[in-house]
Amino acid sequence: DVPVQIVWGDGDKVFPLPFGENLQRHIPGAHLTVIPKCGHLPHVEQPDRFRAIITGFIDSTASTFSASTGAAA
């Protein structure tokens, strides 16, 4: 399994939240983080929150993933 972080805006009108929840159900081990008061472009609408989510995900998975693959962290 490859770590997957899904970031979704709770107010996304293009692809409402059930689409993100469906993705999470169909991708083994996927983690869904929903950003409140955010639409379709979380990286644009709430860049600091988006960056914190992605940075936290990378930090929490980098050592685990590299250890399981034998790659350097």
Side-chain angles (χ1 to χ4, degrees), residues 16-63:
L17 184 54
F19 283 88
E21 294 165 340
N22 192 42
L23 277 176
Q24 181 185 25
R25 278 192 299 278
H26 287 90
I27 300 172
H31 179 70
L32 172 65
T33 302
V34 179
I35 300 178
K37 299 180 183 173
C38 187
H40 186 64
L41 302 171
H43 62 290
V44 173
E45 296 172 40
Q46 295 200 28
D48 293 335
R49 179 74 180 120
F50 182 82
R51 184 173 32 258
I53 292 166
I54 297 303
T55 300
F57 173 73
I58 291 169
D59 290 346
S60 71
T61 59
S63 61

